[in-house]
């Protein structure tokens, strides 16, 4: 979640998707591939962070809590306050696997990130 | 919310956006223009339903609760259980106005639809 800055708290999903994501050192760690919603409630289940790959091949995905994305206006993207080592050890998935079984990647991912969340 | 049917409860926002929306009579009442998320929580604030207009001019928007959209596989779109009369009297907005002031269209719209919600 961004630090309150006086801006509207509403944002459309289409603007979130495609936004670049950085670590605190300013290195790009990927982009928001999509946002997973829960059909049975009004919750955002998690955000799909895409990274790696080349020319569309080999891209991998993290399932990351929406609350971990802090928008940084100067950088024009989200900052995720995790070190590179932590991210490298995070669970990664094929995109389809994230959605199967009610967002299969969610539980192990959210457990993983909960340890590091400053919020 | 859809009737439980054994399918995963997770869906990506990019698949929701653009989906056609019908009333119970099977008439198209618009499409999902976008999904508005709350930056400060993990909630879907509301769905933006676009309707009317011609060649991109004159389109109007409803702010509708996510829970009102029931996916109908046969129709290939969402069904909203509201009569045409109810929809015609619902608040409508320009798209930008919906996002200003923390989703300005949300409160009056949600109050309006709450009266008719069967859930």
């Amino acid at each position: 979640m961004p630090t309150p800055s006086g801006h509207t708290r509403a944002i459309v999903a289409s603007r979130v998707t495609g936004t670049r994501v950085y670590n605190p050192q300013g290195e790009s760690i990927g982009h928001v591939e999509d946002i997973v919603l829960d059909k049975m409630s009004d919750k955002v289940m998690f955000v799909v962070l895409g990274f790696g790959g080349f020319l569309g091949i080999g891209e991998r995905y993290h399932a990351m809590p929406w609350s971990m994305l802090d928008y940084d206006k100067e950088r024009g993207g989200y900052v995720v306050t995790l070190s590179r080592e932590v991210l490298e050890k995070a669970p990664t998935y094929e995109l389809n696997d994230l959605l199967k079984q009610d967002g299969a990647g969610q539980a192990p991912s959210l457990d993983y990130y909960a340890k590091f969340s400053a919020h």
Side-chain angles (χ1 to χ4, degrees), chain A:
Chain A
M1 283 177 278
T3 311
S5 59
H7 291 276
T8 179
R9 57 190 282 173
I11 188 158
V12 284
S14 64
R15 279 188 62 199
V16 177
T17 305
T19 301
R20 198 141 279 286
V21 182
Y22 300 91
N23 65 15
Q25 291 72 43
E27 298 162 321
S28 169
I29 58 172
H31 63 278
V32 177
E33 173 70 19
D34 216 325
I35 301 153
V36 180
L37 309 176
D38 184 352
K39 295 178 197 171
M40 303 301 291
S41 78
D42 59 355
K43 300 260 189 189
V44 175
M45 263 194 176
F46 54 88
V47 169
V48 180
L49 177 74
F51 68 100
F54 184 69
L55 297 179
I57 297 167
E59 191 162 9
R60 297 286 290 176
Y61 301 92
H62 290 298
M64 190 167 280
W66 171 230
S67 61
M68 298 210 70
L69 269 54
D70 279 337
Y71 191 71
D72 184 324
K73 213 172 165 190
E74 282 171 25
R75 291 206 177 114
Y78 291 105
V79 173
V80 166
T81 314
L82 296 172
S83 71
R84 180 187 297 169
E85 291 73 20
V86 167
L87 275 166
E88 281 172 357
K89 296 198 178 87
T92 65
Y93 299 86
E94 300 286 336
L95 191 53
N96 288 339
D97 292 340
L98 274 176
L99 299 180
K100 286 193 294 216
Q101 295 165 28
D102 294 335
Q106 181 191 18
S109 296
L110 297 184
D111 285 346
Y112 181 84
Y113 292 114
K115 296 201 292 290
F116 303 103
S117 177
H119 302 285

